[in-house]
Amino acid sequence: MQHRKRLPVALLVAALTAVSLGAPGLVLAQATIVIDVLDGPDEGFNDPGAPDPTSAAGGNTGATLGAQRFIAFGHAADIWAGLLDSSQAIVVGATFDPQPCDATTADLGAAGTNTVHRDFTGAPVVNTWYPAALANALAGADLAPGLADIDAFFNSAIDDATCAFPKVWYYGLDGSPPAGTIDFVSVVLHELGHGLGFQTFVDLGTGAKLNNFDDVFMLWLENHSTGELYPEMTDGARVSASVDSGNLHWIGPDVVALSDGLTLGRHPSGHVEMYAPDPQNPGSSISHFSTSLSPDELMEPSFTAAIHDVGLAAALMQDLGWSASSLPRTTIGQTAGAPLSDGGGGGNCFIAAMTGSLDIAR
Ligand SMILES: [Zn+2]
Ligand SMILES: [Zn+2]
């Protein structure tokens, strides 16, 4: 039995204030994120336990622990929804269940797109996988009706006395987690980033493309030491690039245009380092910014501090094809050697189940 609760996260306040900026040509960013709670009664997001007073002091007024979790999730969803445009509701299937944790490490959460799509009407690049939320936005239609666009999982054991991990979740909304806590809003923000498109579908172990098609994330991945881009590499070369620390780069124009705020992790060309540890870190390699970046970015693979600003991830979403009209952007022209489709054709939409990456706290 699964209890389903759907709550649209609207952005009326953000929309109203954006109008008054008066910037020429400014169009409001507006997406709606629907949180589809898949927990059972009395657990996870429905946990009837007492609210955490520390989180309450941080602005989370939920009357129960489950309510606090849900409110914090909604706060993070609001941040993304205020940055991206889509006519289609972005549905996130969310659960909060016990997952692995021990005295030194704990899985925090995982998320990814639920389905992938290619060659739909409106697809900017042919023969290329798009995550569901982005594909829906580009198509102006729900390409997988009845299915969540993003699946997200979070570890409830972190709040549990049976888990030896010394930190607990902080559900405050103020980005000020006390010592000994992990900022849940930051983790949700990060995981939603994966679900919205910050992930490759390449098989990390073999370097193989998903069903032999490019994904939109890989179009901007470069091995700077060879100059090759991910789509044109052999499977073996992709595996090599995935462990080429410092040389696996994001070269999308929107990220490059804004990367000069980085003092570390940025090539003089503006290319930004991606996470490519040797040996690979399954579930984390490639689909994150490098841990070498400074200042720290939200989409690095592990958390050291609360971050409620999606930072360069917003520009990366634009490189993927998201419309994010409230942000500065460059014009996306030709992508990495792939011809731009005229959007004609349609049909031929392929859907495959995906799982997301798993993120770990230390
Ligand atoms: Zn480069
Ligand atoms: Zn991650």
Side-chain angles (χ1 to χ4, degrees):
M1 280 274 283
Q2 287 181 328
H3 174 69
R4 298 171 74 90
K5 158 163 81 170
R6 297 167 76 94
L7 183 80
V9 177
L11 286 173
L12 295 175
V13 174
L16 291 171
T17 51
V19 171
S20 66
L21 295 177
L26 180 68
V27 181
L28 304 179
Q30 45 188 343
T32 298
I33 296 180
V34 176
I35 305 165
D36 196 355
V37 170
L38 303 177
D39 284 321
D42 299 336
E43 58 99 5
F45 285 104
N46 300 316
D47 193 311
D52 168 43
T54 307
S55 299
N60 189 327
T61 57
T64 63
L65 182 61
Q68 284 187 324
R69 289 168 169 171
F70 190 74
I71 287 170
F73 194 115
H75 187 80
D78 241 359
I79 293 171
W80 274 120
L83 295 172
L84 303 175
D85 300 320
S86 181
S87 66
Q88 304 298 307
I90 300 166
V91 180
V92 182
T95 54
F96 212 126
D97 290 323
Q99 293 180 39
C101 71
D102 61 33
T104 54
T105 65
D107 296 352
L108 297 180
T113 189
N114 191 29
T115 59
V116 292
H117 305 260
R118 64 173 172 81
D119 298 307
F120 47 88
T121 300
V125 186
V126 298
N127 296 329
T128 300
W129 295 120
Y130 286 79
L134 175 54
N136 290 348
L138 292 166
D142 187 352
L143 298 173
L147 295 178
D149 303 309
I150 295 171
D151 282 331
F153 311 86
F154 300 93
N155 190 349
S156 61
I158 288 173
D159 282 338
D160 192 327
T162 62
C163 167
F165 194 66
K167 297 181 179 177
V168 296
W169 287 117
Y170 175 68
Y171 301 109
L173 310 180
D174 58 355
S176 301
T181 67
I182 301 168
D183 189 53
F184 184 64
V185 170
S186 297
V187 174
V188 175
L189 204 57
H190 176 104
E191 297 302 341
L192 290 178
H194 288 309
L196 292 167
F198 206 116
Q199 63 175 155
T200 181
F201 308 130
V202 167
D203 184 309
L204 197 61
T206 66
K209 299 175 182 179
L210 178 64
N211 289 14
N212 292 316
F213 288 101
D214 294 345
D215 61 61
V216 66
F217 188 85
M218 76 160 70
L219 299 182
W220 302 115
L221 289 173
E222 174 219 43
N223 185 341
H224 203 96
S225 59
T226 64
E228 278 189 306
L229 300 174
Y230 246 52
E232 69 201 37
M233 293 178 189
T234 63
D235 290 359
R238 273 188 290 275
V239 173
S240 297
S242 74
V243 294
D244 198 346
S245 295
N247 283 310
L248 180 67
H249 288 171
W250 187 268
I251 65 163
D254 286 286
V255 168
V256 167
L258 295 176
S259 67
D260 55 4
L262 294 174
T263 55
L264 290 172
R266 174 186 182 272
H267 185 269
S269 62
H271 297 175
V272 173
E273 293 180 19
M274 302 300 285
Y275 185 53
D278 187 5
Q280 293 175 339
N281 186 346
S284 288
S285 288
I286 307 175
S287 297
H288 290 98
F289 286 127
S290 170
T291 54
S292 66
L293 267 56
S294 182
D296 284 341
E297 280 283 327
L298 174 72
M299 294 308 293
E300 293 183 27
S302 50
F303 279 98
T304 52
I307 300 178
H308 288 194
D309 182 341
V310 305
L312 284 175
L316 188 142
M317 293 298 163
Q318 292 175 289
D319 282 334
L320 297 180
W322 275 104
S323 169
S325 46
S326 65
L327 299 168
R329 66 174 294 148
T330 57
T331 301
I332 296 180
Q334 203 70 18
T335 58
L340 291 176
S341 136
D342 62 2
N348 200 27
C349 173
F350 186 93
I351 300 174
M354 296 299 304
T355 55
S357 62
L358 193 65
D359 293 299
I360 296 173
R362 291 178 202 286

PDB file of all heavy atoms in Angstrom, residues 190-191 194 288 299-301 357 359, ligand 2:
ATOM      1  N   HIS A 190      20.427  19.092  -4.638  1.00  0.00           N
ATOM      2  CA  HIS A 190      21.433  18.341  -5.399  1.00  0.00           C
ATOM      3  C   HIS A 190      20.791  17.177  -6.158  1.00  0.00           C
ATOM      4  O   HIS A 190      21.017  17.013  -7.366  1.00  0.00           O
ATOM      5  CB  HIS A 190      22.501  17.837  -4.422  1.00  0.00           C
ATOM      6  CG  HIS A 190      23.553  16.959  -5.024  1.00  0.00           C
ATOM      7  ND1 HIS A 190      24.829  17.399  -5.301  1.00  0.00           N
ATOM      8  CD2 HIS A 190      23.531  15.661  -5.393  1.00  0.00           C
ATOM      9  CE1 HIS A 190      25.535  16.415  -5.818  1.00  0.00           C
ATOM     10  NE2 HIS A 190      24.771  15.332  -5.894  1.00  0.00           N
ATOM     11  N   GLU A 191      19.985  16.400  -5.458  1.00  0.00           N
ATOM     12  CA  GLU A 191      19.396  15.219  -6.101  1.00  0.00           C
ATOM     13  C   GLU A 191      18.441  15.616  -7.224  1.00  0.00           C
ATOM     14  O   GLU A 191      18.407  14.970  -8.275  1.00  0.00           O
ATOM     15  CB  GLU A 191      18.665  14.359  -5.065  1.00  0.00           C
ATOM     16  CG  GLU A 191      19.573  13.793  -3.970  1.00  0.00           C
ATOM     17  CD  GLU A 191      20.714  12.945  -4.503  1.00  0.00           C
ATOM     18  OE1 GLU A 191      20.634  12.477  -5.648  1.00  0.00           O
ATOM     19  OE2 GLU A 191      21.700  12.766  -3.776  1.00  0.00           O
ATOM     20  N   HIS A 194      20.264  16.110 -10.414  1.00  0.00           N
ATOM     21  CA  HIS A 194      20.476  14.899 -11.218  1.00  0.00           C
ATOM     22  C   HIS A 194      19.225  14.571 -12.028  1.00  0.00           C
ATOM     23  O   HIS A 194      19.293  14.280 -13.221  1.00  0.00           O
ATOM     24  CB  HIS A 194      20.815  13.718 -10.307  1.00  0.00           C
ATOM     25  CG  HIS A 194      22.187  13.775  -9.710  1.00  0.00           C
ATOM     26  ND1 HIS A 194      23.320  13.985 -10.464  1.00  0.00           N
ATOM     27  CD2 HIS A 194      22.612  13.630  -8.430  1.00  0.00           C
ATOM     28  CE1 HIS A 194      24.384  13.979  -9.670  1.00  0.00           C
ATOM     29  NE2 HIS A 194      23.983  13.772  -8.433  1.00  0.00           N
ATOM     30  N   HIS A 288      29.027  14.631 -11.877  1.00  0.00           N
ATOM     31  CA  HIS A 288      29.196  15.690 -10.886  1.00  0.00           C
ATOM     32  C   HIS A 288      30.290  16.636 -11.364  1.00  0.00           C
ATOM     33  O   HIS A 288      31.160  16.240 -12.134  1.00  0.00           O
ATOM     34  CB  HIS A 288      29.630  15.125  -9.520  1.00  0.00           C
ATOM     35  CG  HIS A 288      28.576  14.342  -8.812  1.00  0.00           C
ATOM     36  ND1 HIS A 288      28.519  12.978  -8.861  1.00  0.00           N
ATOM     37  CD2 HIS A 288      27.545  14.749  -8.031  1.00  0.00           C
ATOM     38  CE1 HIS A 288      27.475  12.560  -8.147  1.00  0.00           C
ATOM     39  NE2 HIS A 288      26.862  13.614  -7.633  1.00  0.00           N
ATOM     40  N   MET A 299      26.710  20.811  -7.125  1.00  0.00           N
ATOM     41  CA  MET A 299      26.719  19.521  -7.803  1.00  0.00           C
ATOM     42  C   MET A 299      28.077  18.832  -7.739  1.00  0.00           C
ATOM     43  O   MET A 299      28.467  18.120  -8.657  1.00  0.00           O
ATOM     44  CB  MET A 299      26.227  19.676  -9.243  1.00  0.00           C
ATOM     45  CG  MET A 299      24.756  20.093  -9.356  1.00  0.00           C
ATOM     46  SD  MET A 299      23.572  19.069  -8.407  1.00  0.00           S
ATOM     47  CE  MET A 299      23.705  17.494  -9.293  1.00  0.00           C
ATOM     48  N   GLU A 300      28.797  19.011  -6.660  1.00  0.00           N
ATOM     49  CA  GLU A 300      29.958  18.169  -6.366  1.00  0.00           C
ATOM     50  C   GLU A 300      29.446  16.902  -5.679  1.00  0.00           C
ATOM     51  O   GLU A 300      28.342  16.896  -5.135  1.00  0.00           O
ATOM     52  CB  GLU A 300      30.956  18.928  -5.494  1.00  0.00           C
ATOM     53  CG  GLU A 300      31.598  20.100  -6.253  1.00  0.00           C
ATOM     54  CD  GLU A 300      32.661  20.841  -5.440  1.00  0.00           C
ATOM     55  OE1 GLU A 300      33.275  20.222  -4.547  1.00  0.00           O
ATOM     56  OE2 GLU A 300      32.854  22.047  -5.692  1.00  0.00           O
ATOM     57  N   PRO A 301      30.245  15.828  -5.679  1.00  0.00           N
ATOM     58  CA  PRO A 301      29.714  14.522  -5.260  1.00  0.00           C
ATOM     59  C   PRO A 301      29.479  14.338  -3.767  1.00  0.00           C
ATOM     60  O   PRO A 301      28.754  13.423  -3.385  1.00  0.00           O
ATOM     61  CB  PRO A 301      30.764  13.529  -5.763  1.00  0.00           C
ATOM     62  CG  PRO A 301      32.000  14.331  -5.899  1.00  0.00           C
ATOM     63  CD  PRO A 301      31.574  15.712  -6.265  1.00  0.00           C
ATOM     64  N   SER A 357      22.093   8.254  -9.612  1.00  0.00           N
ATOM     65  CA  SER A 357      23.322   8.053  -8.873  1.00  0.00           C
ATOM     66  C   SER A 357      23.049   8.092  -7.379  1.00  0.00           C
ATOM     67  O   SER A 357      22.025   8.570  -6.921  1.00  0.00           O
ATOM     68  CB  SER A 357      24.333   9.138  -9.238  1.00  0.00           C
ATOM     69  OG  SER A 357      23.809  10.395  -8.880  1.00  0.00           O
ATOM     70  N   ASP A 359      24.426   9.241  -3.656  1.00  0.00           N
ATOM     71  CA  ASP A 359      25.345  10.196  -3.056  1.00  0.00           C
ATOM     72  C   ASP A 359      25.576   9.870  -1.586  1.00  0.00           C
ATOM     73  O   ASP A 359      24.677   9.472  -0.888  1.00  0.00           O
ATOM     74  CB  ASP A 359      24.800  11.600  -3.203  1.00  0.00           C
ATOM     75  CG  ASP A 359      24.798  12.013  -4.660  1.00  0.00           C
ATOM     76  OD1 ASP A 359      25.880  12.053  -5.247  1.00  0.00           O
ATOM     77  OD2 ASP A 359      23.725  12.252  -5.190  1.00  0.00           O
TER      78      ASP A 359
HETATM   79 ZN    ZN B   2      25.090  13.630  -6.786  1.00  0.00          ZN
END
